[in-house]
Amino acid sequence: MVSFEACMEAMQLVLPDGTVYVGDRAFPHLLRLTRYGRYFSWLFRLPGTNLIYRLIARNRLALSGFLIRKEKGAKCSIDEGCE
């Protein structure tokens, strides 16, 4: 069982056999499960990719504002979603 706090700290991938991968270690495994992601999973073996992942993860809420447009005046929170 993965705690709520651990999930809020970093992405968690739990495989059917019970293996848990956390954060930048989970992402290559997720990519391998997608149609074309397996062609890019090797990128996570390059030096420095864990630093890039952590930078993006640490700023994910701020970055989501650039990627997802919401109506003017809408408020969003992790617990309640967007209103």
Side-chain angles (χ1 to χ4, degrees):
M1 181 97 181
V2 179
S3 71
F4 176 79
E5 291 78 17
C7 289
M8 294 308 293
E9 181 69 27
M11 173 176 50
Q12 310 285 318
L13 173 64
V14 181
L15 298 179
D17 67 359
T19 305
V20 178
Y21 293 101
V22 178
D24 63 314
R25 302 234 186 259
F27 206 71
H29 296 282
L30 285 172
L31 284 175
R32 285 189 211 116
L33 297 172
T34 64
R35 176 181 255 172
Y36 299 109
R38 65 180 177 265
Y39 300 115
F40 301 103
S41 64
W42 64 271
L43 290 170
F44 282 84
R45 287 186 244 142
L46 297 174
T49 53
N50 61 341
L51 297 174
I52 295 168
Y53 172 84
R54 280 190 256 149
L55 178 67
I56 292 170
R58 190 176 321 128
N59 297 293
R60 67 186 176 269
L61 294 177
L63 292 171
S64 69
F66 293 110
L67 301 174
I68 301 170
R69 297 276 182 201
K70 58 185 180 196
E71 292 181 26
K72 190 172 183 170
K75 297 179 182 177
C76 296
S77 74
I78 292 172
D79 297 326
E80 298 172 13
C82 295
E83 15 173 282

